[in-house]
């Protein structure tokens, strides 16, 4: 019986580790060459597995919203992220209205190069996100996706145009400086169990003892 339990635990762990790739990301920059101090447009595309949905950058508290940033790079002067209009509807996982994307989503990154930038530059987009199905959610996942940009004096300067249907996406529209509500909820639960353990110090040691007795009896 013990071997069966351990086998099931190991299988569930492997399943969980391999069950996090519900979104496949690609990243490209246009144009692929720019003058120092010029702007380029990055396209971060996410293909979402059927049956799952990705939360927007501006989704209300409950799920963990998507965040997008670039890895630190001296060739980058500024970044502005735009998102397409998400679908807002009731989410049974959180018993609240949320903003989601299904099938595919393309985030736009307006990137301004530094005036001191020169040569080939590797831009690394870092999306952090949570996806859910109708019955379950996975922990937040962070990915890194790269694109190559050549910065050279004399390169054509083109205006970056954001198409209709997109809006600037500011993380934590309700206040970007506020703590992650999911983290606060977790800390609240942890504090509650810790407080309970003060008043019932004999209960928690009995849990592993009881489980050990049950396994040995099997």
């Amino acid at each position: 019986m013990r071997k069966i339990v351990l086998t099931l635990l190991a299988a569930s762990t492997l399943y969980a580790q391999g069950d996090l790739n519900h979104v496949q990301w690609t990243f490209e920059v246009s144009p692929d060459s720019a003058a120092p101090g010029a702007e380029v447009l990055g396209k971060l595309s996410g293909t979402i597995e059927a049956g799952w949905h990705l939360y927007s950058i501006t989704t209300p508290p409950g799920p963990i919203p998507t965040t997008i940033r670039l890895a630190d790079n001296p060739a980058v002067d500024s970044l502005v992220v735009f998102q397409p209009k998400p679908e807002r509807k009731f989410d049974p996982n959180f018993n609240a209205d949320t903003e989601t994307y299904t099938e595919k989503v393309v985030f736009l990154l307006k990137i301004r190069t530094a005036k001191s930038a020169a040569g080939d530059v590797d831009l690394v987009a870092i999306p952090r996100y949570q996806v859910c199905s109708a019955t379950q959610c996975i922990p937040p996942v962070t990915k890194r996706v790269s694109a190559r940009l050549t910065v050279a004096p004399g390169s054509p300067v083109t205006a970056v145009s954001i198409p209709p249907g997109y809006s600037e996406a500011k993380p934590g529209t309700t206040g970007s400086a506020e703590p992650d509500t999911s983290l606060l909820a977790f800390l609240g639960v942890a504090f509650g169990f810790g407080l309970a353990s003060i008043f019932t110090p004999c209960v928690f040691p009995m849990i592993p003892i009881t489980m050990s007795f049950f396994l040995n009896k099997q």
Side-chain angles (χ1 to χ4, degrees):
M1 178 64 181
R2 180 181 298 176
K3 289 183 178 180
I4 296 175
V5 172
L6 293 176
T7 301
L8 290 175
L9 288 174
S12 62
T13 301
L14 291 174
Y15 173 79
Q17 291 176 346
D19 199 33
L20 300 180
N21 296 318
H22 296 295
V23 184
Q24 302 300 319
W25 297 94
T26 61
F27 184 40
E28 58 181 289
V29 177
S30 178
D32 57 7
S33 62
E39 289 183 343
V40 296
L41 184 65
K43 293 183 178 181
L44 181 63
S45 303
T47 301
I48 306 163
E49 184 179 329
W52 295 81
H53 53 263
L54 171 76
Y55 294 97
S56 73
I57 296 174
T58 56
T59 193
I64 295 175
T66 297
T67 57
I68 297 171
R69 65 183 181 89
L70 290 177
D72 292 340
N73 194 319
V76 175
D77 182 66
S78 64
L79 168 68
V80 181
V81 179
F82 297 83
Q83 69 176 10
K85 184 178 180 180
E87 180 182 8
R88 188 181 179 105
K89 63 179 182 179
F90 181 79
D91 191 328
N93 291 306
F94 300 97
N95 197 34
D97 287 342
T98 60
E99 297 178 352
T100 61
Y101 302 104
T102 56
E103 297 184 357
K104 187 171 184 178
V105 60
V106 179
F107 296 98
L108 300 181
L109 285 63
K110 183 187 287 188
I111 305 166
R112 181 177 293 278
T113 61
K115 293 182 178 179
S116 59
D120 291 334
V121 177
D122 286 322
L123 299 176
V124 180
I126 306 178
R128 180 179 185 268
Y129 58 95
Q130 180 179 40
V131 295
C132 294
S133 67
T135 58
Q136 61 180 314
C137 295
I138 66 168
V141 176
T142 302
K143 296 290 185 178
R144 298 173 68 91
V145 198
S146 62
R148 176 65 62 90
L149 172 68
T150 300
V151 181
S155 295
V157 177
T158 57
V160 171
S161 177
I162 304 300
Y166 278 82
S167 59
E168 183 177 347
K170 297 180 180 179
T173 319
T174 56
S176 57
E178 292 191 14
D180 190 328
T181 55
S182 300
L183 178 60
L184 288 177
F186 170 77
L187 292 176
V189 172
F191 176 78
F193 276 108
L195 188 62
S197 67
I198 296 176
F199 298 100
T200 57
C202 298
V203 173
F204 288 100
M206 291 301 295
I207 295 176
I209 295 174
T210 304
M211 291 300 296
S212 176
F213 174 79
F214 172 76
L215 291 176
N216 286 329
K217 290 293 288 183
Q218 301 299 317

